[in-house]
Every structure is written in C-alpha cells, then in structure tokens.
Amino acid sequence: MAEQHTPRSLIVTLYGAYGRETTGSLAVAELIRLLGAVGVDGPSVRSSVSRLKRRGLLVAERTPAGAAGYALSQDARQLLDDGDQRIYDQSAPKLADGWVLAVFSVPEAERHKRHLLRSRLGRLGFGTAAPGVWIAPARFHEETAHTLRRLGLDPYVDLFRAEHLGFAATADAAARWWDLAAIAKQHEEFLDAHGPVLRAWEAREDTPPAEAYRDYLLALDSWRRLPYADPALPDELLPADWPGGRSAAVFMGLHARLRDAGARFITEG
C-alpha cells in the first residue's frame, strides 16, 4: 500500500526534525520551498499552516529578516520533545518496569470528551484492559500526563502504576490489550517503503543535501507514527520474528546517514 504523507503531517515533521534548533520562525516562503522538495504545492502549505495555527501548534512570528513566518508554540515544543523520547529511544524495554493504568469516568452530558479520551489514549499507544481502563508501559506516564493536561482532560482521569499479577499469562493478556498483528503490519509496510531507500544510500559514497533532506523527511514522517501505534513491549510479550527491531534499525540507519546532510539543505537553501 502506498504511503500517505499529508501536508500537515510533513510540516509537523519538518519542525520536529529541524525547527527547534533556533528560537526563530521559518518564513512562509521557506516553508513552501522546503515542502516543495517533497512534492507539496504552495497553496497546500499555506492552508495547512493556517490549520496548525488554529490548533495552537504554530504561532505567527516575524523572522529576524522581518519576513512573515511561523514558530512552534510552547505546547507544540512540549509535544515534539515528548515525541523525541519515542522516536529516537533505542533502550530495551523491561517487563519489570511495570505499567501505567489510565482509569477514566466521563459524565454522559460530556460524552464527546469520552470519545476524545479514548482516541487520545489510543494514539499514545495505550491498549484496552477493560471498559474505562487503559494500559501502557509505565515509561509513558509523563507524556500521558502532559497530553491530558494540554487537552484539559486530566480532571476525568486517574493514572496508576501497576504490576500484572494474573490470572492469564502477561503475554496472552498483552495480545488482548493490543492488536499486535495490525502493529506488525505497519512495521512491515515501513520496511517495504524505506528498507530499499537505506540500502540504496549504503551503496553510495556521496550524500547530496537535497536528496538526503527529501529521503529523511519522508522516512521520519512515516516512522514517527509507529512508536505511538507500537507500545514497544518487552521481547517476551511479542510474537516470534517481531518486525519492530528491524524497522527501528532501518529508521536509525537513515537518521544517522541523512539527518545532518538534510540540515545543510535547509541552511544553505
């Protein structure tokens, strides 16, 4: 299945990869140039920037040269900082680290917030242990707290640290809490799309900035969703031949080879 890179997602990915290195903003014309390198036209960039501004992720800010531009909001910086922990963390998860439980109750009159809570917890990588009880590895608790506070959902939720004591084996329980087959499929799709890209770069000696920027931005835009879909469970809870490690290795290989060269495309533009 062909990958879908939306203009809004690519803009967020661009700021996440390169937009926090200075406190300044990116000019609108520069955003159009940088997104044009991955096939996004100018009107799509402008409309997507407007939507991100309405969502509070970008704020209008003049560049040092006085051009109209946009910078990350404080909420967006927190969101991206939290995301870095997932996107680039290669530490091996341990079963002994335990779990975080999110237990929520929303009044019927505010049931739209119940839907928002479920949606957001799912996007944070939580699985469903029971109605109103969601579970994730304990290391996600700080990011979960930041997210729920930012969305004003924290009054409806209690967070707990937990240990699974039974009665089913934890591996069997985890297979109920998450759709592991669907997650594995996402890893395989990433490998199909970006594994050949890494192999092509490994066969080259040069790293032209424009090509490096294009391939890195597209790989990061695809990869950054996966650590949220996949809670990165300990190996003993995963099926045999789990593809997560292989897809992470491909992404980190592309990151090591292309990220800094891609930065030169931005600064030398």
Side-chain angles (χ1 to χ4, degrees), residues 115-235:
H115 173 74
L116 180 58
L117 256 170
R118 290 170 177 157
S119 173
R120 187 58 56 164
L121 289 171
R123 288 168 62 183
L124 285 167
F126 277 71
T128 309
V133 181
W134 292 62
I135 187 167
R139 66 184 178 279
F140 295 163
H141 78 278
E142 287 189 7
E143 181 182 7
T144 301
H146 292 158
T147 300
L148 295 178
R149 287 194 188 103
R150 179 170 57 83
L151 296 174
L153 297 171
D154 50 305
Y156 305 96
V157 184
D158 287 303
L159 298 179
F160 300 89
R161 283 190 178 271
E163 177 183 359
H164 184 238
L165 299 176
F167 293 93
T170 304
D172 293 338
R176 295 196 310 269
W177 299 336
W178 287 277
D179 186 345
L180 296 178
I183 296 169
K185 182 179 179 183
Q186 291 184 58
H187 282 294
E188 296 288 359
E189 289 172 347
F190 181 87
L191 285 164
D192 289 344
H194 298 283
V197 178
L198 177 61
R199 290 191 291 274
W201 280 105
E202 289 173 338
R204 298 176 62 167
E205 295 184 1
D206 63 332
T207 314
E211 293 178 51
Y213 165 82
R214 179 200 64 209
D215 285 352
Y216 181 63
L217 195 72
L218 293 175
L220 178 58
D221 191 56
S222 298
W223 173 256
R224 69 182 181 86
R225 301 174 182 86
L226 260 170
Y228 286 90
D230 183 351
L233 300 175
D235 287 344

Side-chain angles (χ1 to χ4, degrees), residues 245-264:
R246 288 183 282 122
S247 66
V250 165
F251 171 71
M252 293 308 295
L254 289 167
H255 174 75
R257 177 65 182 269
L258 304 180
R259 194 270 174 197
D260 290 347
R264 291 197 295 275

